[in-house]
Amino acid sequence: MAILEAREITKVYKTKYRTYPVLKNISLDIEEGDFVAIMGPSGSGKSTLLNVLSSLDIPSEGDIKVGGTTLTGMKEEQLGIYRREHIGFIFQNYNLLDHLTIKENILLPAALKKGDKKGVQNKLQKFAEELEVTKFLTKYPYEVSGGQQQRAAIIRALINNPALLFADEPTGNLDSKSAQNVLHTLKMLNEKYKTTILMVTHDSVAASFCNRVIFLKDGQIVHEMKRSKLEDTSKFNQRILSFIAKEVEDNDINVEIYN
């Protein structure tokens, strides 16, 4: 079952003198329980696509449904409520508030939503233990490492039971060890709890943890790759790198633009 359906999504930015088409008639489905990466050269539109699909930005044309609910056409106030109750976000810069403890940061989305407070506390305890953040719940973000902040941000994104989790370069500010920990955490959440995740990344290693990779170029989907059941992350990474190398060679471009 498709949890996200996007049809003929176009995004155009206009200035007084020019029009910039960033996304061009993109259609895609994200199945419930899927773990999908969006990759592409710098300027390909991958972050814009994530923003549009998550309702942080509005498409110029096209339709988007999440969990059967049509987002296009909603007023900003309605979108804000829908995002808070049905969508989770993980950002590259963690977006934790320094004046709140880690625990307070995690519980902030739940505080804005009326619900089962005891259930929220139980969920916090469960995920804090599973993601190994229990020991620093009373600390402030500036007192813990980047990897610990990102794991806290993941719990915050999950606290309201989102239908879909969006991750924008979640390992971009982390060292390799912390990045691996975060990626293993996302993979565990996907496999154990069937959390549906859509992640933008420039890193083939990060993408190899996903089940499916969508490649963008010039605002369009140009290729899609699925990991087979017999394929581990290392082999999938090699396939991803081979496609990128071919793209670089065929188009005579610098591999650095994938960063």
Side-chain angles (χ1 to χ4, degrees):
M1 176 183 173
I3 191 70
L4 184 150
E5 302 169 80
R7 295 291 179 268
E8 299 183 0
I9 300 301
T10 295
K11 181 65 180 179
V12 177
Y13 291 106
K14 296 181 180 180
T15 68
K16 184 177 180 179
Y17 302 104
R18 291 190 62 182
T19 298
Y20 300 89
V22 182
L23 302 176
K24 306 170 186 175
N25 296 314
I26 289 180
S27 295
L28 62 86
D29 289 342
I30 304 297
E31 298 298 317
E32 191 171 1
D34 210 348
F35 189 2
V36 181
I38 298 175
M39 295 192 76
S42 177
S44 61
K46 53 186 184 292
S47 290
T48 301
L49 179 59
L50 182 138
N51 288 339
V52 167
L53 294 178
S54 65
S55 81
L56 289 176
D57 200 355
I58 306 298
S60 302
E61 296 179 19
D63 293 303
I64 298 168
K65 289 183 180 181
V66 176
T69 299
T70 300
L71 302 188
T72 42
M74 275 191 183
K75 295 181 179 180
E76 182 54 43
E77 183 179 354
Q78 293 174 303
L79 285 173
I81 294 171
Y82 189 86
R83 281 194 298 268
R84 186 169 70 236
E85 297 186 351
H86 300 285
I87 295 176
F89 295 94
I90 306 169
F91 300 100
Q92 180 176 344
N93 294 321
Y94 325 129
N95 283 15
L96 300 179
L97 301 176
D98 280 341
H99 65 281
L100 298 180
T101 64
I102 294 297
K103 181 178 180 179
E104 290 168 340
N105 268 286
I106 291 172
L107 293 176
L108 188 58
L112 300 173
K113 176 185 175 183
K114 295 181 180 179
D116 180 9
K117 293 186 178 181
K118 184 177 179 181
V120 168
Q121 289 291 337
N122 290 339
K123 188 184 302 181
L124 167 64
Q125 183 177 353
K126 179 184 72 172
F127 281 127
E129 291 174 358
E130 197 144 28
L131 275 63
E132 300 180 354
V133 303
T134 306
K135 292 182 180 179
F136 55 87
L137 283 174
T138 58
K139 293 184 178 294
Y140 291 87
Y142 54 83
E143 296 179 306
V144 302
S145 70
Q148 290 168 333
Q149 289 187 62
Q150 193 62 297
R151 278 182 280 149
I154 291 171
I155 300 173
R156 179 187 59 188
L158 294 169
I159 204 70
N160 279 341
N161 289 324
L164 189 56
L165 189 60
F166 288 92
D168 189 2
E169 299 281 7
T171 60
N173 284 346
L174 302 177
D175 59 65
S176 58
K177 183 178 179 181
S178 296
Q180 284 285 319
N181 287 338
V182 166
L183 292 169
H184 280 290
T185 295
L186 293 175
K187 187 174 177 64
M188 178 275 293
L189 292 170
N190 173 252
E191 293 179 346
K192 184 174 181 177
Y193 297 105
K194 307 303 178 186
T195 304
T196 308
I197 305 171
L198 181 60
M199 174 176 68
V200 163
T201 183
H202 68 271
D203 182 6
S204 66
V205 173
S208 71
F209 278 75
C210 300
N211 304 320
R212 178 178 162 210
V213 182
I214 296 171
F215 294 90
L216 294 187
K217 185 171 71 174
D218 298 329
Q220 296 177 301
I221 295 175
V222 294
H223 188 63
E224 184 174 325
M225 194 177 289
K226 293 183 178 180
R227 180 160 58 89
S228 72
K229 293 182 179 179
L230 301 177
E231 199 171 26
D232 61 17
T233 55
S234 178
K235 290 181 180 178
F236 195 32
N237 184 39
Q238 287 303 312
R239 274 212 293 142
I240 295 168
L241 287 173
S242 295
F243 175 78
I244 292 173
K246 188 175 185 301
E247 281 287 286
V248 169
E249 181 179 356
D250 290 350
N251 294 280
D252 191 27
I253 56 179
N254 191 323
V255 70
E256 292 298 323
I257 70 169
Y258 267 83
N259 293 335

